[in-house]
Amino acid sequence: MTELSLSLVLPVKNNILFDSILDFEKYPLFMPVQLKYVKILERDESKITTEEKFLFKTIFKKEIIQSTSHRIISSSELESIILDGPAKNTKLKISISPEDNKSKIEINADLKLGIKYKIFIPIIKRYFKMVSTAILYKMVNHLNN
């Protein structure tokens, strides 16, 4: 079990940030090199299922297509579970709370990787906060423009 977490205060109201987080199809704007597309496969009031295509170029080039189930717990909480692919059964919980005229976002992940991908855990741990922070700030900048 690999636990990852991040806590940030962002200059945007919590309801606006939460709505932006639920706009999955815009995610490629925030990580255009790695995330090629996000498709909505199913959507209802409390659940969204997406398909994502990632492209990783490091020592080798690797495309990963996965699907994720996102359960809307409340107007400020989201729980996602990766349904297939190398990170199958990874759970991610996002909570947003108001802080003055800003939002405090907390992200907690329980990373599960298939045996042949476990070698990447140290890299993922090292970059989780940096990449997540960059995506969130790009999202906020997009909202403010």
Side-chain angles (χ1 to χ4, degrees):
M1 178 165 82
T2 303
E3 296 287 328
L4 305 168
S5 64
L6 170 70
S7 180
L8 261 175
V9 176
L10 297 169
V12 64
K13 290 186 177 183
N14 62 314
N15 61 322
I16 294 170
L17 180 59
F18 192 72
D19 288 346
S20 185
I21 287 170
L22 293 177
D23 194 356
F24 297 107
E25 291 173 312
K26 283 198 176 150
Y27 280 39
L29 292 173
F30 312 125
M31 34 184 318
V33 174
Q34 300 89 359
L35 185 57
K36 295 304 167 189
Y37 68 77
V38 177
K39 292 181 191 174
I40 304 293
L41 301 177
E42 184 183 332
R43 172 182 245 138
D44 63 33
E45 291 176 14
S46 63
K47 184 179 167 194
I48 302 167
T49 304
T50 57
E51 177 183 271
E52 306 88 29
K53 181 179 182 179
F54 293 92
L55 177 62
F56 298 101
K57 294 180 187 175
T58 53
I59 298 168
F60 55 91
K61 183 177 170 181
K62 177 74 174 164
E63 280 187 3
I64 295 172
I65 297 175
Q66 68 181 29
S67 54
T68 307
S69 174
H70 310 275
R71 186 170 60 95
I72 301 166
I73 298 169
S74 70
S75 62
S76 60
E77 286 184 290
L78 179 70
E79 184 176 76
S80 300
I81 299 173
I82 298 175
L83 302 174
D84 48 37
K88 182 178 180 177
N89 295 323
T90 291
K91 293 181 183 177
L92 184 76
K93 185 166 183 183
I94 298 174
S95 301
I96 302 172
S97 57
E99 192 162 294
D100 297 323
N101 236 359
K102 299 176 181 179
S103 298
K104 181 177 182 180
I105 183 167
E106 295 182 66
I107 303 172
N108 294 293
D110 178 12
L111 178 64
K112 310 280 189 196
L113 286 179
I115 192 79
K116 72 180 190 178
Y117 295 98
K118 289 208 183 263
I119 191 168
F120 296 111
I121 288 176
I123 295 167
I124 293 168
K125 281 179 143 180
R126 189 171 30 227
Y127 289 102
F128 172 76
K129 287 183 181 180
M130 181 179 67
V131 171
S132 299
T133 300
I135 291 167
L136 289 165
Y137 274 106
K138 285 179 183 181
M139 192 178 283
V140 169
N141 285 338
H142 181 77
L143 289 169
N144 291 330
N145 290 330

